Amino acid sequence: MKAAIYCRLSVEDEDKKSQRASESILNQQLLLTDYMKLHGYDLYAIYVDEDYSGLDSNRPAFCQMIEDAKHGKFQVILCKTQSRFTRDMELVEKYLHHLFPLWGIRFIGVIDGVDTDERRNKKARQINGLINEWYCEDLSENIRAVLRKKMEDGQFIGSFACYGYEKSKEDKHKLVIDPVASNVVKKIYSLYLDGYSMRQISQLLTTEQIPPPSLYKRQQGLKFKAPYTNKPPEKQHIWSYNTIKRILKNPTYTGCLVQGCEQKISYKSKKMIHLPKERWIIVPNTHPAIIKEDDFLLVQELLKKKRKTKH
């Protein structure tokens, strides 16, 4: 009998914050290889996913293991617990109770006693699945509450500062002015107030070979990714109309921190939805302003007038 060993260290695990994060994977491997030898299984492969949630069904090693299981490359899957395999009740039903029996795969959770060869064990597996989901749901709510409190206290919680600012080296929750990018922001507002259209501004900045925000961030060594960063290299220096529009409409440049504009649909989905403005968290005077508030308000009036003109 060939066995596959699956280990996962999750982003939601408390011990991930410790310096022994890698040891956790190693400890899982040692536990499972000892169990494998004790029960006379031959090792087919060890599959490892690190920094992946148990709700994520697109884990690279997990997907490869499922594909290998489908083609009968092994007969047993060993995990430390059922939650290492998944915290999603739908995946428990899909694999443990449907596909694995069809493929002739036995699943064993060494610590929590999960074993798909034991029929009486099914209710325990389902209860485990529910408890694991509840854990993720509670954790998600707790994290959301903590982040909301930080936003209400005027702390910046984003991964990347908006163009024109950077995170303070002393306090990552504070924004400080980026001297290079902030001058470009000032130029954009000045040109617009002088009568230039957004299209003309984008063409001018492109002609002057000023790196747009996505390219500029990567040039600063930040691991910034967005759908529009996948353009061919020769097009990555082009300023878009929408980029100019976002900068002109962003109140952050007045020293006002605006966060909580969107949120996940649920703890099981990565999809984000935009929230109505009355639910945004807006805290004034949290960082130095790049644009005077009077100039910002004047720009908003001009944008509104042009929008009415188009209609």
Side-chain angles (χ1 to χ4, degrees):
M1 296 277 284
K2 290 184 179 180
I5 286 176
Y6 180 71
C7 305
R8 179 179 65 81
L9 185 66
S10 173
V11 291
E12 70 256 7
D13 290 335
E14 291 181 4
D15 62 343
K16 181 69 185 75
K17 296 179 181 178
S18 74
Q19 294 180 345
R20 300 191 300 170
S22 295
E23 289 180 21
S24 177
I25 289 289
L26 179 61
N27 288 339
Q28 288 180 54
Q29 291 182 14
L30 291 172
L31 171 75
L32 297 173
T33 50
D34 284 348
Y35 183 93
M36 178 194 71
K37 291 172 184 176
L38 183 64
H39 290 79
Y41 297 128
D42 293 324
L43 178 65
Y44 174 74
I46 297 176
Y47 303 84
V48 176
D49 282 314
E50 195 160 356
D51 288 338
Y52 282 93
S53 168
L55 294 172
D56 189 348
S57 60
N58 294 316
R59 292 166 264 156
F62 177 86
C63 292
Q64 184 60 57
M65 180 180 67
I66 294 298
E67 188 66 19
D68 291 345
K70 183 178 178 181
H71 290 90
K73 294 183 178 180
F74 49 79
Q75 294 76 45
V76 179
I77 293 176
L78 300 176
C79 285
K80 181 180 177 182
T81 61
Q82 179 177 306
S83 65
R84 293 300 92 193
F85 178 77
T86 184
R87 289 187 183 274
D88 190 333
M89 190 61 195
E90 290 181 19
L91 293 183
V92 170
E93 291 297 323
K94 180 179 179 179
Y95 291 113
L96 270 61
H97 300 153
H98 178 56
L99 292 177
F100 284 177
L102 288 177
W103 297 343
I105 300 291
R106 180 183 183 183
F107 178 86
I108 298 174
V110 172
I111 297 298
D112 54 5
V114 169
D115 188 341
T116 54
D117 262 15
E118 297 183 16
R119 288 190 177 183
R120 289 174 297 178
N121 194 259
K122 184 176 181 180
K123 287 185 176 66
R125 296 194 295 271
Q126 291 173 324
I127 291 170
N128 269 346
L130 285 172
I131 291 172
N132 288 329
E133 276 216 12
W134 292 337
Y135 168 80
C136 286
E137 187 174 12
D138 290 345
L139 185 65
S140 175
E141 288 300 320
N142 289 338
I143 291 173
R144 183 177 291 183
V146 170
L147 292 179
R148 186 169 185 85
K149 180 65 170 63
K150 285 185 175 182
M151 289 188 280
E152 289 171 348
D153 289 343
Q155 296 186 47
F156 178 75
I157 64 164
S159 300
F160 302 96
C162 75
Y163 183 72
Y165 290 99
E166 58 187 6
K167 290 184 181 181
S168 167
K169 291 180 174 59
E170 288 74 33
D171 182 355
K172 66 179 181 179
H173 298 301
K174 292 288 183 183
L175 296 180
V176 294
I177 289 177
D178 178 328
V180 176
S182 62
N183 283 332
V184 180
V185 172
K186 290 176 183 176
K187 182 172 185 173
I188 290 170
Y189 275 81
S190 177
L191 288 170
Y192 192 75
L193 289 171
D194 285 343
Y196 283 73
S197 69
M198 286 184 274
R199 193 79 62 190
Q200 288 172 325
I201 296 172
S202 63
Q203 290 171 350
L204 180 63
L205 296 179
T206 300
T207 302
E208 293 179 356
Q209 296 188 325
I210 296 173
S214 57
L215 180 58
Y216 179 75
K217 287 176 182 177
R218 295 201 302 280
Q219 288 177 345
Q220 302 308 301
L222 299 175
K223 296 180 180 179
F224 179 79
K225 288 185 179 180
Y228 44 85
T229 61
N230 295 324
K231 295 176 182 176
E234 66 274 9
K235 291 188 177 181
Q236 289 186 12
H237 72 283
I238 297 175
W239 283 78
S240 71
Y241 171 92
N242 286 330
T243 299
I244 302 298
K245 186 178 180 181
R246 276 195 298 271
I247 290 173
L248 289 174
K249 295 185 73 174
N250 191 345
T252 304
Y253 298 120
T254 65
C256 178
L257 195 57
V258 181
Q259 298 183 106
C261 304
E262 56 182 19
Q263 69 179 28
K264 287 183 180 180
I265 293 177
S266 77
Y267 69 97
K268 294 177 71 173
S269 172
K270 291 182 179 179
K271 187 174 181 181
M272 306 293 286
I273 56 170
H274 289 284
L275 299 177
K277 195 170 183 178
E278 57 268 22
R279 292 184 61 186
W280 295 2
I281 299 174
I282 303 172
V283 184
N285 305 317
T286 59
H287 54 272
I290 295 174
I291 303 299
K292 293 178 181 178
E293 188 171 358
D294 289 345
D295 288 341
F296 179 79
L297 293 174
L298 181 55
V299 165
Q300 305 318 299
E301 285 298 318
L302 292 172
L303 288 169
K304 196 179 295 183
K305 285 178 183 177
K306 291 195 175 181
R307 194 160 58 243
K308 287 179 179 179
T309 305
K310 284 183 180 180
H311 291 299

